[in-house]
C-alpha cells in the first residue's frame, strides 16, 4: 500500500517510516472499529515496541485530531460523489450500544452511473427513542442533507425501522446435562426481539433436541412429574409449525442474495410466502391455521396486498415491474397489470417533460459519459423530424388507418419494447442487465435507477435476518460516543470511495 494512492496523504515533518506507521495505526482503528484507547493497551504497546522500538505511540488526543482531519477529507469526497446521484434513498437505522444509548445511523443508497449499488454512511448521532417521531426524524434528516449540500428534492425515498424494535429482549435456554448426552451439535440460540428469525431457529433447535430433553427429564431423580415436559400434542404442534416457519426462512435467505437486496424482489417474495404457507396449512390443525392466518393477515396489511388499484401505489410494485426477472407481474390480475403499465407511462412522460439537458448529465460521475436521458430527447426530436417530413397520409394509412406507432412518443415505445422482452433467469442480476441494455431503453433505465435503488430493509438484509450480532454490530456498540461518528463513517466509506477514485483514474488513462 502506498499513501499516495489513497484519499489522504499526511504532510508531516516526521520520518517517512514513522509517518506510515502512524497512518496505519489510525487506519487499523477505523477499519476494525477499535476505540482510540487501543494505543494505551499494554499488549498493543508491547507489540509495537518490539516491531518498531523507536516509534512513539500517539496519545488518544493526537489520534482524535488525525481522525477528524481524515474524516473531513473523506467527507468532502463523499459530498462530491453524492452530488452525482440521480436520486437518493435515505435509510435511518436505530441501534443500541452496550451502555444502552440509542443511536441513529443515516445511510444514502443509490445506483451510480456504472449500475453499481452504492450504500454510504452519512452520519451517526445519539437519539432518543421516545422522541423519534416523524417530525423529529424529518428535522434530523434535513440537517444531515444540509451537511452534504443536498436538498430534500434529491431524496427519492426515506426508510426507517421502528425505534422500539431496538429493544432486544433475550432469553437463554441452559441445560448442562444436554452437553453430556451429545445428541446433536447445536449452537445456543438467543431469542432477540429485533430479530424474530431467532424464534424460528429456537423452535427448530427445540424440535431437534426433543429426544435429548425427554432423556434428561426421565433421568431426573424425582421423575418426570417433578419437571413439566411438553405434552405430545404440543410436540406435534411444534412439528407442524416448523415447516411453515422454514418457508419464511427461505424467503429471508432469498432477500439476502446480492441480486435480491433491493425492494424489487420484495413483492414477488411476499406474495409467494402468503400462497405457500396457505397451502401448507390446508391439512393442518386449527391452531396452525390460526397462526398462518395471522401471518398472512399481517403481511397483507403491512404491504397492501389488495386486489384493487391501491396496491399499485407501492414503490415495491413498480420496482418489481422494472426488474427484467419479474416484469410480467404474475401476482397481479390482468386488469391491474394494464393499469400499472399506464401509470409507468405517465411517470416516463413526467420525467421527460421536466428533464433539462443539464439534468440529464448531472448525476454521471465521469464527465466523458453521454447521458442516456439526452439520447432519449434527441431520439424523440429525430422522431418528430421524421414525422414532419413524411407525407401526411400514405397508402397504408388509407387502407389500414393511422399507424399507432407514428403518434407514440419514443419513451412510450421504449416501454412497450421492454414489456415484450423475454423474462430473465432468477439468478440474473438486474443491475447487470440494465447496464447492458440501458442504450436500448434509456428513459426506462432512468426510472429504474430510482426504484431499484430502494433497499428491501432499512439495514442490510444479512444483518436484519441473522440470528446473532455481526462483528461490526458488536464492535460499534462499545465505541466511545465522542469518536463514534467519525470511525463508523470512515469504516463504511473509505474503501468504497477509494475504489471509485481508482476506477475513474483507470478510465481516464484508458481514454487518453
Amino acid at each position: 500500500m502506498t499513501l499516495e494512492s489513497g484519499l489522504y496523504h499526511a504532510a508531516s515533518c516526521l520520518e517517512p517510516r514513522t509517518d506510515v506507521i502512524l497512518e496505519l495505526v489510525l487506519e487499523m482503528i477505523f477499519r476494525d472499529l477499535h476505540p482510540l484507547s487501543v494505543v494505551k493497551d499494554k499488549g498493543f504497546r508491547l507489540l509495537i515496541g518490539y516491531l518498531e522500538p523507536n516509534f512513539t505511540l500517539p496519545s488518544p488526543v493526537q489520534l482524535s485530531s488525525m481522525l477528524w482531519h481524515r474524516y473531513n477529507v473523506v467527507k468532502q469526497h463523499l459530498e462530491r460523489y453524492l452530488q452525482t446521484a440521480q436520486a437518493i434513498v435515505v435509510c435511518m437505522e436505530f441501534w443500541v450500544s452496550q451502555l444502552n444509548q440509542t443511536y441513529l445511523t443515516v445511510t444514502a443508497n443509490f445506483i451510480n452511473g456504472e449500475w453499481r449499488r452504492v450504500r454510504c454512511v452519512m452520519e451517526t448521532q445519539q437519539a432518543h427513542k421516545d422522541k423519534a417521531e416523524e417530525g423529529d426524524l424529518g428535522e434530523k434528516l434535513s440537517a444531515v442533507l444540509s451537511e452534504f449540500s443536498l436538498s430534500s428534492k434529491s431524496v427519492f425515498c426515506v426508510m426507517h425501522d421502528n425505534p422500539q424494535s431496538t429493544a432486544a429482549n433475550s432469553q437463554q435456554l441452559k441445560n448442562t446435562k444436554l452437553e453430556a448426552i451429545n445428541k446433536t451439535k447445536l449452537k445456543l440460540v438467543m431469542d432477540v426481539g429485533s430479530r424474530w428469525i431467532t424464534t424460528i431457529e429456537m423452535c427448530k433447535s427445540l424440535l431437534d433436541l426433543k429426544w435429548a430433553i425427554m432423556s434428561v427429564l426421565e433421568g431426573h431423580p424425582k421423575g418426570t412429574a417433578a419437571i413439566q415436559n411438553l405434552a405430545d400434542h404440543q410436540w406435534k404442534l411444534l412439528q407442524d409449525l416448523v415447516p411453515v416457519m422454514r418457508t419464511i426462512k427461505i424467503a429471508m435467505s432469498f432477500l439476502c442474495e446480492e441480486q435480491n437486496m433491493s425492494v424489487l424482489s420484495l413483492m414477488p417474495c411476499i406474495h409467494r410466502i402468503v400462497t405457500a404457507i396457505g397451502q401448507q396449512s390446508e391439512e393442518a390443525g386449527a391452531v396452525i391455521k390460526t397462526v398462518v392466518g395471522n401471518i398472512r393477515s399481517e403481511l397483507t396489511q403491512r404491504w397492501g396486498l389488495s386486489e384493487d388499484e391501491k396496491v399499485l401505489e407501492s414503490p415495491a410494485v413498480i420496482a418489481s415491474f422494472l426488474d427484467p426477472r419479474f416484469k410480467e407481474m404474475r401476482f397481479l390480475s390482468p386488469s391491474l397489470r394494464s393499469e400499472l403499465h399506464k401509470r409507468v407511462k405517465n411517470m416516463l412522460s413526467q420525467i421527460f417533460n421536466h428533464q433539462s439537458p443539464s439534468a440529464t448529465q448531472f448525476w454521471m460521475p465521469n464527465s466523458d459519459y453521454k447521458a442516456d436521458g439526452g439520447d432519449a430527447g434527441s431520439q424523440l426530436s429525430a422522431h418528430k423530424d421524421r414525422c414532419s417530413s413524411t407525407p401526411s397520409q400514405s397508402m397504408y394509412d388509407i387502407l389500414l388507418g393511422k399507424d399507432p406507432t407514428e403518434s407514440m412518443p419514443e419513451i412510450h415505445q421504449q416501454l412497450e419494447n421492454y414489456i415484450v422482452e423475454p423474462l430473465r433467469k432468477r439468478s440474473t442480476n438486474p443491475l447487470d442487465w440494465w447496464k447492458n441494455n440501458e442504450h436500448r431503453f434509456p428513459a426506462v433505465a432512468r426510472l429504474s435507477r430510482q426504484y431499484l435503488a430502494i433497499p428491501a430493509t432499512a439495514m442490510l438484509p444479512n444483518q436484519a435476518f441473522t440470528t446473532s450480532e455481526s462483528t461490526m454490530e458488536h464492535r460499534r456498540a462499545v465505541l466511545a460516543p465522542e469518536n463514534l461518528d467519525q470511525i463508523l463513517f470512515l469504516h463504511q466509506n473509505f474503501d468504497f470511495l477509494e475504489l471509485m477514485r481508482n476506477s475513474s483514474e483507470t478510465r481516464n488513462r484508458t481514454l487518453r
Side-chain angles (χ1 to χ4, degrees), residues 67-93:
L67 185 69
W68 266 99
H69 184 74
R70 179 78 68 98
Y71 165 80
N72 287 324
V73 171
V74 176
K75 186 177 180 181
Q76 291 176 9
H77 283 267
L78 179 59
E79 180 179 333
R80 289 195 293 268
Y81 190 64
L82 288 177
Q83 296 291 338
T84 68
Q86 173 183 323
I88 295 173
V89 177
V90 176
C91 292
M92 309 174 78
E93 175 200 354

PDB file of all heavy atoms in Angstrom, residues 67-93:
ATOM      1  N   LEU A  67      -7.963  11.719  13.269  1.00  0.00           N
ATOM      2  CA  LEU A  67      -9.203  11.115  12.821  1.00  0.00           C
ATOM      3  C   LEU A  67     -10.148  12.179  12.245  1.00  0.00           C
ATOM      4  O   LEU A  67     -10.758  11.972  11.194  1.00  0.00           O
ATOM      5  CB  LEU A  67      -9.872  10.396  13.994  1.00  0.00           C
ATOM      6  CG  LEU A  67     -11.137   9.598  13.679  1.00  0.00           C
ATOM      7  CD1 LEU A  67     -10.799   8.377  12.830  1.00  0.00           C
ATOM      8  CD2 LEU A  67     -11.821   9.165  14.976  1.00  0.00           C
ATOM      9  N   TRP A  68     -10.239  13.310  12.909  1.00  0.00           N
ATOM     10  CA  TRP A  68     -11.097  14.393  12.433  1.00  0.00           C
ATOM     11  C   TRP A  68     -10.611  14.905  11.075  1.00  0.00           C
ATOM     12  O   TRP A  68     -11.418  15.191  10.190  1.00  0.00           O
ATOM     13  CB  TRP A  68     -11.115  15.541  13.454  1.00  0.00           C
ATOM     14  CG  TRP A  68     -12.258  15.450  14.406  1.00  0.00           C
ATOM     15  CD1 TRP A  68     -12.247  14.964  15.683  1.00  0.00           C
ATOM     16  CD2 TRP A  68     -13.607  15.829  14.135  1.00  0.00           C
ATOM     17  NE1 TRP A  68     -13.504  15.020  16.232  1.00  0.00           N
ATOM     18  CE2 TRP A  68     -14.363  15.558  15.303  1.00  0.00           C
ATOM     19  CE3 TRP A  68     -14.260  16.370  13.039  1.00  0.00           C
ATOM     20  CZ2 TRP A  68     -15.722  15.811  15.393  1.00  0.00           C
ATOM     21  CZ3 TRP A  68     -15.618  16.625  13.115  1.00  0.00           C
ATOM     22  CH2 TRP A  68     -16.339  16.344  14.280  1.00  0.00           C
ATOM     23  N   HIS A  69      -9.303  15.023  10.928  1.00  0.00           N
ATOM     24  CA  HIS A  69      -8.771  15.504   9.658  1.00  0.00           C
ATOM     25  C   HIS A  69      -9.089  14.527   8.535  1.00  0.00           C
ATOM     26  O   HIS A  69      -9.547  14.921   7.448  1.00  0.00           O
ATOM     27  CB  HIS A  69      -7.267  15.719   9.763  1.00  0.00           C
ATOM     28  CG  HIS A  69      -6.666  16.312   8.525  1.00  0.00           C
ATOM     29  ND1 HIS A  69      -6.841  17.630   8.180  1.00  0.00           N
ATOM     30  CD2 HIS A  69      -5.926  15.763   7.526  1.00  0.00           C
ATOM     31  CE1 HIS A  69      -6.217  17.883   7.035  1.00  0.00           C
ATOM     32  NE2 HIS A  69      -5.649  16.752   6.625  1.00  0.00           N
ATOM     33  N   ARG A  70      -8.855  13.233   8.784  1.00  0.00           N
ATOM     34  CA  ARG A  70      -9.148  12.222   7.766  1.00  0.00           C
ATOM     35  C   ARG A  70     -10.648  12.215   7.449  1.00  0.00           C
ATOM     36  O   ARG A  70     -11.062  12.092   6.285  1.00  0.00           O
ATOM     37  CB  ARG A  70      -8.702  10.852   8.271  1.00  0.00           C
ATOM     38  CG  ARG A  70      -8.973   9.688   7.321  1.00  0.00           C
ATOM     39  CD  ARG A  70      -7.972   9.629   6.205  1.00  0.00           C
ATOM     40  NE  ARG A  70      -6.661   9.285   6.668  1.00  0.00           N
ATOM     41  CZ  ARG A  70      -6.143   8.058   6.633  1.00  0.00           C
ATOM     42  NH1 ARG A  70      -6.857   7.063   6.163  1.00  0.00           N
ATOM     43  NH2 ARG A  70      -4.913   7.832   7.055  1.00  0.00           N
ATOM     44  N   TYR A  71     -11.469  12.321   8.483  1.00  0.00           N
ATOM     45  CA  TYR A  71     -12.919  12.347   8.308  1.00  0.00           C
ATOM     46  C   TYR A  71     -13.352  13.501   7.413  1.00  0.00           C
ATOM     47  O   TYR A  71     -14.162  13.318   6.495  1.00  0.00           O
ATOM     48  CB  TYR A  71     -13.578  12.443   9.687  1.00  0.00           C
ATOM     49  CG  TYR A  71     -15.042  12.830   9.663  1.00  0.00           C
ATOM     50  CD1 TYR A  71     -16.030  11.894   9.378  1.00  0.00           C
ATOM     51  CD2 TYR A  71     -15.430  14.139   9.953  1.00  0.00           C
ATOM     52  CE1 TYR A  71     -17.368  12.251   9.363  1.00  0.00           C
ATOM     53  CE2 TYR A  71     -16.764  14.504   9.943  1.00  0.00           C
ATOM     54  CZ  TYR A  71     -17.737  13.554   9.649  1.00  0.00           C
ATOM     55  OH  TYR A  71     -19.051  13.919   9.634  1.00  0.00           O
ATOM     56  N   ASN A  72     -12.836  14.687   7.639  1.00  0.00           N
ATOM     57  CA  ASN A  72     -13.228  15.861   6.853  1.00  0.00           C
ATOM     58  C   ASN A  72     -12.819  15.725   5.391  1.00  0.00           C
ATOM     59  O   ASN A  72     -13.549  16.139   4.483  1.00  0.00           O
ATOM     60  CB  ASN A  72     -12.617  17.128   7.458  1.00  0.00           C
ATOM     61  CG  ASN A  72     -13.302  17.526   8.754  1.00  0.00           C
ATOM     62  OD1 ASN A  72     -14.512  17.365   8.896  1.00  0.00           O
ATOM     63  ND2 ASN A  72     -12.537  18.022   9.722  1.00  0.00           N
ATOM     64  N   VAL A  73     -11.638  15.140   5.151  1.00  0.00           N
ATOM     65  CA  VAL A  73     -11.185  14.944   3.771  1.00  0.00           C
ATOM     66  C   VAL A  73     -12.095  13.962   3.042  1.00  0.00           C
ATOM     67  O   VAL A  73     -12.547  14.208   1.912  1.00  0.00           O
ATOM     68  CB  VAL A  73      -9.720  14.461   3.741  1.00  0.00           C
ATOM     69  CG1 VAL A  73      -9.316  14.042   2.332  1.00  0.00           C
ATOM     70  CG2 VAL A  73      -8.781  15.546   4.264  1.00  0.00           C
ATOM     71  N   VAL A  74     -12.372  12.821   3.690  1.00  0.00           N
ATOM     72  CA  VAL A  74     -13.223  11.808   3.059  1.00  0.00           C
ATOM     73  C   VAL A  74     -14.646  12.339   2.896  1.00  0.00           C
ATOM     74  O   VAL A  74     -15.327  12.046   1.909  1.00  0.00           O
ATOM     75  CB  VAL A  74     -13.208  10.509   3.888  1.00  0.00           C
ATOM     76  CG1 VAL A  74     -14.166   9.474   3.290  1.00  0.00           C
ATOM     77  CG2 VAL A  74     -11.802   9.938   3.949  1.00  0.00           C
ATOM     78  N   LYS A  75     -15.102  13.126   3.855  1.00  0.00           N
ATOM     79  CA  LYS A  75     -16.447  13.694   3.775  1.00  0.00           C
ATOM     80  C   LYS A  75     -16.590  14.600   2.555  1.00  0.00           C
ATOM     81  O   LYS A  75     -17.636  14.615   1.889  1.00  0.00           O
ATOM     82  CB  LYS A  75     -16.764  14.470   5.050  1.00  0.00           C
ATOM     83  CG  LYS A  75     -18.189  14.981   5.117  1.00  0.00           C
ATOM     84  CD  LYS A  75     -18.458  15.670   6.446  1.00  0.00           C
ATOM     85  CE  LYS A  75     -19.887  16.175   6.516  1.00  0.00           C
ATOM     86  NZ  LYS A  75     -20.165  16.869   7.797  1.00  0.00           N
ATOM     87  N   GLN A  76     -15.553  15.367   2.243  1.00  0.00           N
ATOM     88  CA  GLN A  76     -15.592  16.214   1.053  1.00  0.00           C
ATOM     89  C   GLN A  76     -15.718  15.371  -0.216  1.00  0.00           C
ATOM     90  O   GLN A  76     -16.470  15.718  -1.138  1.00  0.00           O
ATOM     91  CB  GLN A  76     -14.341  17.089   0.985  1.00  0.00           C
ATOM     92  CG  GLN A  76     -14.275  18.162   2.064  1.00  0.00           C
ATOM     93  CD  GLN A  76     -12.979  18.946   2.024  1.00  0.00           C
ATOM     94  OE1 GLN A  76     -12.193  18.801   1.078  1.00  0.00           O
ATOM     95  NE2 GLN A  76     -12.744  19.757   3.040  1.00  0.00           N
ATOM     96  N   HIS A  77     -14.992  14.260  -0.256  1.00  0.00           N
ATOM     97  CA  HIS A  77     -15.086  13.362  -1.418  1.00  0.00           C
ATOM     98  C   HIS A  77     -16.487  12.765  -1.521  1.00  0.00           C
ATOM     99  O   HIS A  77     -17.051  12.668  -2.621  1.00  0.00           O
ATOM    100  CB  HIS A  77     -14.052  12.243  -1.307  1.00  0.00           C
ATOM    101  CG  HIS A  77     -12.663  12.670  -1.645  1.00  0.00           C
ATOM    102  ND1 HIS A  77     -12.128  12.542  -2.904  1.00  0.00           N
ATOM    103  CD2 HIS A  77     -11.690  13.234  -0.892  1.00  0.00           C
ATOM    104  CE1 HIS A  77     -10.887  13.000  -2.915  1.00  0.00           C
ATOM    105  NE2 HIS A  77     -10.613  13.427  -1.698  1.00  0.00           N
ATOM    106  N   LEU A  78     -17.047  12.356  -0.378  1.00  0.00           N
ATOM    107  CA  LEU A  78     -18.386  11.770  -0.398  1.00  0.00           C
ATOM    108  C   LEU A  78     -19.422  12.806  -0.813  1.00  0.00           C
ATOM    109  O   LEU A  78     -20.356  12.493  -1.564  1.00  0.00           O
ATOM    110  CB  LEU A  78     -18.739  11.204   0.979  1.00  0.00           C
ATOM    111  CG  LEU A  78     -20.129  10.572   1.094  1.00  0.00           C
ATOM    112  CD1 LEU A  78     -20.283   9.427   0.096  1.00  0.00           C
ATOM    113  CD2 LEU A  78     -20.396  10.090   2.511  1.00  0.00           C
ATOM    114  N   GLU A  79     -19.255  14.039  -0.360  1.00  0.00           N
ATOM    115  CA  GLU A  79     -20.189  15.097  -0.730  1.00  0.00           C
ATOM    116  C   GLU A  79     -20.212  15.298  -2.240  1.00  0.00           C
ATOM    117  O   GLU A  79     -21.279  15.398  -2.853  1.00  0.00           O
ATOM    118  CB  GLU A  79     -19.803  16.403  -0.029  1.00  0.00           C
ATOM    119  CG  GLU A  79     -20.716  17.565  -0.358  1.00  0.00           C
ATOM    120  CD  GLU A  79     -20.323  18.837   0.379  1.00  0.00           C
ATOM    121  OE1 GLU A  79     -19.720  18.724   1.462  1.00  0.00           O
ATOM    122  OE2 GLU A  79     -20.608  19.931  -0.136  1.00  0.00           O
ATOM    123  N   ARG A  80     -19.026  15.321  -2.857  1.00  0.00           N
ATOM    124  CA  ARG A  80     -18.964  15.477  -4.310  1.00  0.00           C
ATOM    125  C   ARG A  80     -19.568  14.260  -5.019  1.00  0.00           C
ATOM    126  O   ARG A  80     -20.218  14.392  -6.059  1.00  0.00           O
ATOM    127  CB  ARG A  80     -17.516  15.695  -4.759  1.00  0.00           C
ATOM    128  CG  ARG A  80     -16.952  17.047  -4.371  1.00  0.00           C
ATOM    129  CD  ARG A  80     -15.676  17.358  -5.146  1.00  0.00           C
ATOM    130  NE  ARG A  80     -14.590  16.474  -4.765  1.00  0.00           N
ATOM    131  CZ  ARG A  80     -13.709  16.749  -3.812  1.00  0.00           C
ATOM    132  NH1 ARG A  80     -13.805  17.879  -3.134  1.00  0.00           N
ATOM    133  NH2 ARG A  80     -12.739  15.913  -3.529  1.00  0.00           N
ATOM    134  N   TYR A  81     -19.349  13.080  -4.445  1.00  0.00           N
ATOM    135  CA  TYR A  81     -19.861  11.865  -5.080  1.00  0.00           C
ATOM    136  C   TYR A  81     -21.384  11.802  -4.982  1.00  0.00           C
ATOM    137  O   TYR A  81     -22.055  11.387  -5.937  1.00  0.00           O
ATOM    138  CB  TYR A  81     -19.234  10.634  -4.424  1.00  0.00           C
ATOM    139  CG  TYR A  81     -19.516   9.354  -5.177  1.00  0.00           C
ATOM    140  CD1 TYR A  81     -19.038   9.167  -6.461  1.00  0.00           C
ATOM    141  CD2 TYR A  81     -20.268   8.343  -4.597  1.00  0.00           C
ATOM    142  CE1 TYR A  81     -19.300   7.995  -7.158  1.00  0.00           C
ATOM    143  CE2 TYR A  81     -20.533   7.174  -5.281  1.00  0.00           C
ATOM    144  CZ  TYR A  81     -20.045   7.010  -6.568  1.00  0.00           C
ATOM    145  OH  TYR A  81     -20.318   5.852  -7.258  1.00  0.00           O
ATOM    146  N   LEU A  82     -21.944  12.208  -3.844  1.00  0.00           N
ATOM    147  CA  LEU A  82     -23.395  12.201  -3.691  1.00  0.00           C
ATOM    148  C   LEU A  82     -24.061  13.187  -4.649  1.00  0.00           C
ATOM    149  O   LEU A  82     -25.220  13.005  -5.037  1.00  0.00           O
ATOM    150  CB  LEU A  82     -23.786  12.528  -2.250  1.00  0.00           C
ATOM    151  CG  LEU A  82     -23.505  11.439  -1.204  1.00  0.00           C
ATOM    152  CD1 LEU A  82     -23.880  11.927   0.187  1.00  0.00           C
ATOM    153  CD2 LEU A  82     -24.257  10.158  -1.530  1.00  0.00           C
ATOM    154  N   GLN A  83     -23.336  14.236  -5.014  1.00  0.00           N
ATOM    155  CA  GLN A  83     -23.882  15.196  -5.963  1.00  0.00           C
ATOM    156  C   GLN A  83     -24.101  14.564  -7.340  1.00  0.00           C
ATOM    157  O   GLN A  83     -24.858  15.091  -8.158  1.00  0.00           O
ATOM    158  CB  GLN A  83     -22.940  16.402  -6.103  1.00  0.00           C
ATOM    159  CG  GLN A  83     -22.775  17.231  -4.843  1.00  0.00           C
ATOM    160  CD  GLN A  83     -24.023  17.998  -4.468  1.00  0.00           C
ATOM    161  OE1 GLN A  83     -24.869  18.246  -5.318  1.00  0.00           O
ATOM    162  NE2 GLN A  83     -24.137  18.390  -3.208  1.00  0.00           N
ATOM    163  N   THR A  84     -23.445  13.437  -7.605  1.00  0.00           N
ATOM    164  CA  THR A  84     -23.599  12.776  -8.901  1.00  0.00           C
ATOM    165  C   THR A  84     -24.816  11.869  -8.954  1.00  0.00           C
ATOM    166  O   THR A  84     -25.135  11.319 -10.002  1.00  0.00           O
ATOM    167  CB  THR A  84     -22.349  11.932  -9.229  1.00  0.00           C
ATOM    168  OG1 THR A  84     -22.282  10.815  -8.329  1.00  0.00           O
ATOM    169  CG2 THR A  84     -21.081  12.759  -9.109  1.00  0.00           C
ATOM    170  N   ALA A  85     -25.499  11.679  -7.822  1.00  0.00           N
ATOM    171  CA  ALA A  85     -26.624  10.741  -7.771  1.00  0.00           C
ATOM    172  C   ALA A  85     -27.860  11.333  -8.423  1.00  0.00           C
ATOM    173  O   ALA A  85     -28.197  12.490  -8.195  1.00  0.00           O
ATOM    174  CB  ALA A  85     -26.927  10.362  -6.329  1.00  0.00           C
ATOM    175  N   GLN A  86     -28.524  10.543  -9.227  1.00  0.00           N
ATOM    176  CA  GLN A  86     -29.782  10.975  -9.836  1.00  0.00           C
ATOM    177  C   GLN A  86     -30.837  11.171  -8.765  1.00  0.00           C
ATOM    178  O   GLN A  86     -31.600  12.144  -8.779  1.00  0.00           O
ATOM    179  CB  GLN A  86     -30.247   9.929 -10.838  1.00  0.00           C
ATOM    180  CG  GLN A  86     -31.630  10.195 -11.424  1.00  0.00           C
ATOM    181  CD  GLN A  86     -32.072   9.084 -12.351  1.00  0.00           C
ATOM    182  OE1 GLN A  86     -31.279   8.521 -13.088  1.00  0.00           O
ATOM    183  NE2 GLN A  86     -33.339   8.738 -12.307  1.00  0.00           N
ATOM    184  N   ALA A  87     -30.940  10.236  -7.843  1.00  0.00           N
ATOM    185  CA  ALA A  87     -31.865  10.322  -6.716  1.00  0.00           C
ATOM    186  C   ALA A  87     -31.336   9.431  -5.604  1.00  0.00           C
ATOM    187  O   ALA A  87     -30.703   8.406  -5.864  1.00  0.00           O
ATOM    188  CB  ALA A  87     -33.273   9.890  -7.124  1.00  0.00           C
ATOM    189  N   ILE A  88     -31.599   9.815  -4.361  1.00  0.00           N
ATOM    190  CA  ILE A  88     -31.033   9.122  -3.209  1.00  0.00           C
ATOM    191  C   ILE A  88     -32.156   8.510  -2.376  1.00  0.00           C
ATOM    192  O   ILE A  88     -33.197   9.125  -2.161  1.00  0.00           O
ATOM    193  CB  ILE A  88     -30.209  10.095  -2.334  1.00  0.00           C
ATOM    194  CG1 ILE A  88     -28.989  10.592  -3.099  1.00  0.00           C
ATOM    195  CG2 ILE A  88     -29.772   9.421  -1.039  1.00  0.00           C
ATOM    196  CD1 ILE A  88     -28.224  11.666  -2.374  1.00  0.00           C
ATOM    197  N   VAL A  89     -31.932   7.287  -1.924  1.00  0.00           N
ATOM    198  CA  VAL A  89     -32.817   6.642  -0.962  1.00  0.00           C
ATOM    199  C   VAL A  89     -32.123   6.699   0.397  1.00  0.00           C
ATOM    200  O   VAL A  89     -31.014   6.184   0.553  1.00  0.00           O
ATOM    201  CB  VAL A  89     -33.107   5.179  -1.342  1.00  0.00           C
ATOM    202  CG1 VAL A  89     -33.960   4.509  -0.279  1.00  0.00           C
ATOM    203  CG2 VAL A  89     -33.803   5.113  -2.695  1.00  0.00           C
ATOM    204  N   VAL A  90     -32.754   7.333   1.360  1.00  0.00           N
ATOM    205  CA  VAL A  90     -32.163   7.511   2.680  1.00  0.00           C
ATOM    206  C   VAL A  90     -32.738   6.469   3.630  1.00  0.00           C
ATOM    207  O   VAL A  90     -33.960   6.301   3.723  1.00  0.00           O
ATOM    208  CB  VAL A  90     -32.428   8.924   3.222  1.00  0.00           C
ATOM    209  CG1 VAL A  90     -31.885   9.063   4.639  1.00  0.00           C
ATOM    210  CG2 VAL A  90     -31.783   9.967   2.318  1.00  0.00           C
ATOM    211  N   CYS A  91     -31.864   5.756   4.332  1.00  0.00           N
ATOM    212  CA  CYS A  91     -32.282   4.781   5.338  1.00  0.00           C
ATOM    213  C   CYS A  91     -31.825   5.249   6.710  1.00  0.00           C
ATOM    214  O   CYS A  91     -30.694   5.718   6.874  1.00  0.00           O
ATOM    215  CB  CYS A  91     -31.702   3.392   5.049  1.00  0.00           C
ATOM    216  SG  CYS A  91     -32.368   2.611   3.573  1.00  0.00           S
ATOM    217  N   MET A  92     -32.699   5.103   7.702  1.00  0.00           N
ATOM    218  CA  MET A  92     -32.406   5.546   9.059  1.00  0.00           C
ATOM    219  C   MET A  92     -32.517   4.338   9.974  1.00  0.00           C
ATOM    220  O   MET A  92     -33.597   3.788  10.178  1.00  0.00           O
ATOM    221  CB  MET A  92     -33.371   6.661   9.471  1.00  0.00           C
ATOM    222  CG  MET A  92     -33.439   7.776   8.428  1.00  0.00           C
ATOM    223  SD  MET A  92     -34.690   9.042   8.751  1.00  0.00           S
ATOM    224  CE  MET A  92     -33.872  10.006  10.003  1.00  0.00           C
ATOM    225  N   GLU A  93     -31.374   3.913  10.528  1.00  0.00           N
ATOM    226  CA  GLU A  93     -31.322   2.714  11.370  1.00  0.00           C
ATOM    227  C   GLU A  93     -31.085   3.104  12.826  1.00  0.00           C
ATOM    228  O   GLU A  93     -30.128   3.812  13.143  1.00  0.00           O
ATOM    229  CB  GLU A  93     -30.200   1.778  10.892  1.00  0.00           C
ATOM    230  CG  GLU A  93     -30.015   0.567  11.787  1.00  0.00           C
ATOM    231  CD  GLU A  93     -28.653  -0.099  11.621  1.00  0.00           C
ATOM    232  OE1 GLU A  93     -27.895   0.301  10.728  1.00  0.00           O
ATOM    233  OE2 GLU A  93     -28.364  -1.018  12.419  1.00  0.00           O
TER     234      GLU A  93
END
